[in-house]
Amino acid sequence: AVKLNPLQPQIPLRFARHFAVRDPATAFQFLHAVDYSDGNEDETRRLTGQALEIAWQADRRPDMLWTVTPDTGLGLMTLADFALGKGLSKLAWQACNQASNRVADLERARCFLRAGYPAEATNAIAAIAADPQARLLVIEAALRAGHYAEAIQLGERFWQTSHWKHSLVQPFVRPE
């Protein structure tokens, strides 16, 4: 079906959904035939999510999810999100790790944080440590790791170097 009509990736997904419980091997054959190459990021994320859901129905082994995940940054991040939704934090960590040099460091760091790996989140943004969003993420990672004193110090340092630093020390007073 895919070879005859490659513009409709829903066709193999529908067949895969039909066979997911009855014949998982056939379902995976259809899942492997899904074409993710239309270039639309939202559509690719949606299709990948559907394929992962069907694969999970057919076989609850996390390693089987890798076989239907596109080998792209978007595919890996979609796998990480799916894994987190299913409580598979180790699989999410693996997907975030594989996304190195394929997605922005900040996106990978957020993925590591959501998966419960604050040290990896901090390591992922080492190259962009001066970026304000990266600095805030480091503070969040310290909090999640239980390093409260460090998080407070980092937060104070961040606040003192921001352009809002005077608003806390000297609150805004409306001129009369």
Side-chain angles (χ1 to χ4, degrees):
V2 174
K3 301 272 187 224
L4 297 176
N5 197 350
L7 300 177
Q8 294 185 17
Q10 287 293 326
I11 293 172
L13 284 176
R14 288 182 182 168
F15 279 112
R17 189 174 290 113
H18 175 77
F19 287 106
V21 176
R22 294 180 187 107
D23 185 1
T26 301
F28 275 97
Q29 287 178 345
F30 281 109
L31 289 172
H32 294 141
V34 175
D35 181 15
Y36 300 100
S37 64
D38 81 343
N40 179 340
E41 190 172 301
D42 291 334
E43 179 71 5
T44 300
R45 185 178 294 277
R46 190 178 66 72
L47 290 173
T48 304
Q50 288 178 2
L52 290 168
E53 190 63 51
I54 294 167
W56 189 246
Q57 285 178 330
D59 190 333
R60 297 245 176 204
R61 292 180 294 161
D63 59 313
M64 294 304 290
L65 296 173
W66 286 103
T67 67
V68 298
T69 301
D71 190 22
T72 63
L74 180 60
L76 293 167
M77 297 310 286
T78 304
L79 174 60
D81 290 339
F82 180 84
L84 288 172
K86 299 298 180 187
L88 305 168
S89 62
K90 184 177 180 184
L91 178 62
W93 174 84
Q94 291 170 336
C96 294
N97 206 32
Q98 286 292 322
S100 180
N101 297 323
R102 298 180 191 201
V103 298
D105 292 338
L106 202 53
E107 185 178 355
R108 277 186 60 235
R110 286 188 182 117
C111 178
F112 282 128
L113 263 185
R114 287 192 318 270
Y117 295 91
E120 282 82 352
T122 303
N123 291 339
I125 54 173
I128 58 167
D131 180 89
Q133 288 185 8
R135 291 176 66 195
L136 288 171
L137 199 132
V138 169
I139 295 167
E140 185 178 349
L143 284 171
R144 290 198 185 185
H147 303 137
Y148 303 115
E150 178 186 357
I152 290 170
Q153 288 175 342
L154 290 169
E156 287 173 345
R157 214 173 308 137
F158 178 77
W159 189 262
Q160 290 301 318
T161 59
S162 77
H163 61 278
W164 297 302
K165 70 180 178 185
H166 298 295
S167 65
L168 184 63
V169 178
Q170 301 168 347
F172 178 75
V173 178
R174 203 175 285 216
E176 293 181 25

